[in-house]
Each structure stands twice: as C-alpha cells, then as structure tokens.
Amino acid sequence: MKGIRNITPYIPGEQPNYPAMIKLNTNENPYPPSPNVAKVLKQFETEQLKRYSSIDNLSLKKALGIKHGLSPDHFLIGNGSDEVLAFCFLAFFNSQDPILFPDITYGFYKVWANLFKVPFKELPLNNDFEIALDDYKQINGGIIIANPNAPTGLFKPLAEIEALLEENKDVIVIIDEAYIDFADQSAVVLLETYPNLVVIRTLSKSSSLAGLRVGYAIGNPKYIQVVESIKSSFNPYSVDIIAENLAIAAVEDEKYYAQITRNICKTRDWFAKNIETFGFSSLISQTNFVLLTHPNLTIETLYHYLEAKDVFVRYFPKIERLTNYLRVSIGTQEEMEKVLRLMSDFVEINEQ
Ligand SMILES: *Cc1c(COP(=O)(O)O)cnc(C)c1O
C-alpha cells in the first residue's frame, strides 16, 4: 500500500496488575501520592469538567515557579514528560546535523528521532557505562542526555554538564531529569547562565503520579515559547483539568515528597549493599532503580524466576551490553527484603 509509515514503536515495561505482585519494572514510586492530592481529588467539582482545561496552565506554572525560584514563563507543561520531550524534539532539533545521545539511554529518544526524521548519532557509553562526554565535542544539531541516565542509574556531576553547555552554545542541550530528586544536584541552577539549556522533569517517578501524566520543561522563556507553539499546533489542551489541579497539590507538598524520597534512597542503598552478600553487584545508582548483574549466573534465568514468583523487573534482551543485567526499581523496604530473599534462594539453587 502506498504512503503508509513503517515505524518501530517504543516498548514500555509491561503493566501487570494483581494484588500479590511486586511491580519493579517501570520505576514507579511504591508510595502513594501526597495526601493533599487525595484531598483535592475528593473536593473536585465534576461540573468543572464541562469546560476545556486551561490553555496556559498558569496555576501549575506558578506553583512550579515557587518551587524552582523562576517566573512562570520558564515552564511548559505537558501530558507526561514523554509528550514534553516529543514537543522539544519538534521545536529544537531541526538541523541537518545529527543530534547526539548515548547508545544506552531512555529508549524513546531514538524512537522520536526516527518518528520526526531527525538525523542522530548514538555515542557509546564507556566501559564503566558512563556517558563519554568528550565524544560530544563534534558538530551536532543538538544534544539530549538523561541525568541520571537510565537504565544505568549513573549521575554526571554538574561541572561536566556545565562544560557540555559551554561547548555547545549554538544548539539546545536537553537534560532529562526524570530521576533528579534521587540524585545530588539539578542543572536548573545553570539556566540563567546557559540559555541553550532545557531541563525536563516529570511527576511520574518521585511524585508518585505516573498515572496522572504530567511532565514539564524548564528553560529560557524565549525557547519555551517555541515549544508552546508546537504544543498549540498539536494539542493545546493536552493537560486535563483534574491533572493540573492534582499536580499543583503535589508540587506544593515538598515535605511529604522529601520524606518518601529519603525512604527510597535508603532502601536503594540497603538493597545495593545487601545483594553483594550473594555475589551480585550494581552500578552506583542516583535513581529509584538499580542495574544489577552477577559474574557467574544467567541473569535472564533470574528474570524468569522472579516473574514466576510475581516479581516483575526489567530485562533488556535487545541491548547487547545489558543481556546479563536486570534493572530493578526500588519498592518499599518490605518488598525489597522479599526480593533479596528470592535472589538469595535463586543463587542457592543455581550456584552448585
Ligand atoms: C520515565 C521517564 C520519562 C517519562 O516520564 P513520563 O513523564 O511518565 O512520560 C522520561 N525520561 C526518562 C529518562 C524516564 O525514565
């Protein structure tokens, strides 16, 4: 048939759903959203739904402005950061020169580059699975880096991000900070100095709101305006009225989220340390997941073993360097204790 697109879609982690499962395959938060979110949802007046949602999301931008110490025109809100990222690709990556991103990173970057016909180069991570920023010193049409990176969990210090911005002042550098609340330091402080920086955030991971679909871009108002134009050319009301109201409640409850983030980081570090007792090792994570391996066990077998015990983790059979790695999202302490026990059973069964 003439004129039909042939495309390879992004394949997200599965979404099994039954009470006994432990779901650690898509980096969701094991804790519920802020109680304020529940309160606002309960009080929501259904009558409001007869109107279109806000065209400028100004209330949410104001709340974000207070959180980040920036004026509302630094923000663009979207239906999950996936949508925000797609809009940013359309807004910023229009050069003949290839955009650059790591060969092992968030799988959606390559999907969008193909979908929007943006030329791209995937630059290999180094032997320690770190982003080799020296390789980015080449002609390019823009750069996108997840920091911390996924699925490695590794974090690049701010000085290195700053050097990247300094070397690429003529293109937009997108830093995807989906996991930044579990890490040391955000690049947002560099925004005033580097107008070529655009930071992407999501409420899906650290704010326990994956199902709400809210993400945002932070950048120089001049460039954010271009993304707004893309959004207006596509789906101006992409953030629904309930989502905007609940997102505000979440953004305003910093105290609750600081607490659950601390819990997750504590459990993460406990888990990373304790799997070593059974011969596993993991990359040093500044996210809510760990990428783990074992020197003499087949990790794919562990993946199926855990699945049979209702524990879902992420395995990447198509990424050659990761075929003996599993990405395990950090659940509650209780869940991770159970996973640790299963891993120790698995070692016992398989290691003789
Ligand atoms: C989860 C994730 C996203 C997408 O988040 P949503 O806001 O739920 O669309 C984007 N980038 C990275 C690196 C992620 O891990």
Side-chain angles (χ1 to χ4, degrees):
M1 192 75 75
K2 255 202 315 210
I4 294 182
R5 271 300 279 268
N6 177 11
I7 66 168
T8 314
Y10 174 74
I11 303 165
E14 335 152 64
Q15 292 291 359
N17 191 5
Y18 53 93
M21 70 169 181
I22 297 184
K23 190 171 177 307
L24 308 173
N25 68 336
T26 52
N27 299 339
E28 290 148 332
N29 202 308
Y31 297 103
S34 154
N36 295 354
V37 173
K39 208 185 307 170
V40 171
L41 182 59
K42 236 186 207 146
Q43 290 167 355
F44 183 81
E45 285 171 24
T46 312
E47 170 108 26
Q48 288 186 263
L49 289 174
K50 73 184 185 189
R51 304 285 180 213
Y52 278 103
S53 59
S54 161
I55 192 113
D56 58 9
N57 309 121
L58 190 59
S59 311
L60 178 51
K61 286 179 190 174
K62 281 183 176 160
L64 290 170
I66 292 166
K67 172 185 160 90
H68 292 288
L70 293 165
S71 60
D73 56 353
H74 286 79
F75 301 92
L76 169 120
I77 320 291
N79 195 292
S81 63
D82 283 342
E83 186 187 69
V84 175
L85 282 161
F87 291 159
C88 286
F89 267 62
L90 288 169
F92 301 135
F93 295 159
N94 293 286
S95 162
Q96 304 296 314
D97 298 320
I99 63 163
L100 308 177
F101 51 84
D103 64 338
I104 300 177
T105 188
Y106 188 42
F108 233 136
Y109 303 156
K110 188 176 174 172
V111 171
W112 287 312
N114 281 319
L115 181 63
F116 301 140
K117 302 186 167 140
V118 177
F120 65 94
K121 255 194 215 172
E122 297 174 273
L123 304 180
L125 298 183
N126 73 15
N127 289 336
D128 298 323
F129 286 107
E130 285 167 0
I131 299 170
L133 285 178
D134 278 345
D135 297 348
Y136 291 69
K137 291 175 185 168
Q138 56 172 293
I139 290 179
N140 66 73
I143 292 174
I144 178 158
I145 298 270
N147 195 37
N149 195 17
T152 63
L154 297 177
F155 178 71
K156 277 278 168 215
L158 217 51
E160 292 183 47
I161 298 295
E162 180 162 13
L164 185 71
L165 292 163
E166 187 66 46
E167 287 151 13
N168 291 281
K169 284 186 162 163
D170 60 337
V171 293
I172 295 292
V173 176
I174 299 177
I175 305 293
D176 182 350
E177 293 194 337
Y179 300 101
I180 200 67
D181 290 327
F182 306 102
D184 277 350
Q185 212 182 2
S186 163
V188 169
V189 294
L190 300 174
L191 274 170
E192 292 303 317
T193 322
Y194 297 96
N196 55 329
L197 169 63
V198 172
V199 175
I200 309 293
R201 292 287 189 93
T202 175
L203 300 197
S204 296
K205 314 284 165 55
S206 55
S207 295
S208 315
L209 290 170
L212 195 67
R213 312 306 304 132
V214 178
Y216 56 101
I218 320 173
N220 185 289
K222 186 166 77 179
Y223 299 125
I224 286 296
Q225 198 46 54
V226 183
V227 197
E228 291 284 5
S229 300
I230 296 285
K231 184 183 173 188
S232 303
S233 311
F234 197 87
N235 186 8
Y237 303 105
S238 80
V239 181
D240 72 71
I241 186 170
I242 298 175
E244 182 169 12
N245 279 289
L246 302 194
I248 292 167
V251 168
E252 288 176 345
D253 195 356
E254 292 202 27
K255 200 168 150 213
Y256 171 81
Y257 285 111
Q259 183 59 51
I260 64 169
T261 298
R262 265 198 302 277
N263 291 348
I264 291 167
C265 290
K266 202 171 142 201
T267 299
R268 172 193 70 199
D269 297 342
W270 172 87
F271 181 71
K273 183 160 167 274
N274 279 271
I275 59 175
E276 292 178 0
T277 318
F278 312 106
F280 291 93
S281 64
S282 63
L283 302 187
I284 296 172
S285 169
Q286 293 211 21
T287 61
N288 65 337
F289 58 84
V290 294
L291 189 69
L292 60 83
T293 187
H294 194 285
N296 39 35
L297 291 174
T298 308
I299 281 292
E300 187 177 6
T301 317
L302 172 61
Y303 170 72
H304 292 299
Y305 177 83
L306 291 175
E307 191 177 45
K309 308 273 183 191
D310 302 311
V311 175
F312 295 91
V313 300
R314 193 81 190 266
Y315 179 57
F316 300 94
K318 288 191 188 137
I319 304 177
E320 211 184 313
R321 287 171 75 188
L322 296 186
T323 48
N324 213 39
Y325 286 81
L326 281 187
R327 191 194 69 189
V328 181
S329 311
I330 301 301
T332 61
Q333 179 70 24
E334 193 188 355
E335 286 172 329
M336 299 320 284
E337 282 170 14
K338 180 162 178 207
V339 174
L340 185 73
R341 274 198 301 279
L342 289 171
M343 286 169 64
S344 105
D345 294 348
F346 178 80
V347 171
E348 210 166 290
I349 299 163
N350 289 274
E351 222 176 25
Q352 279 90 35

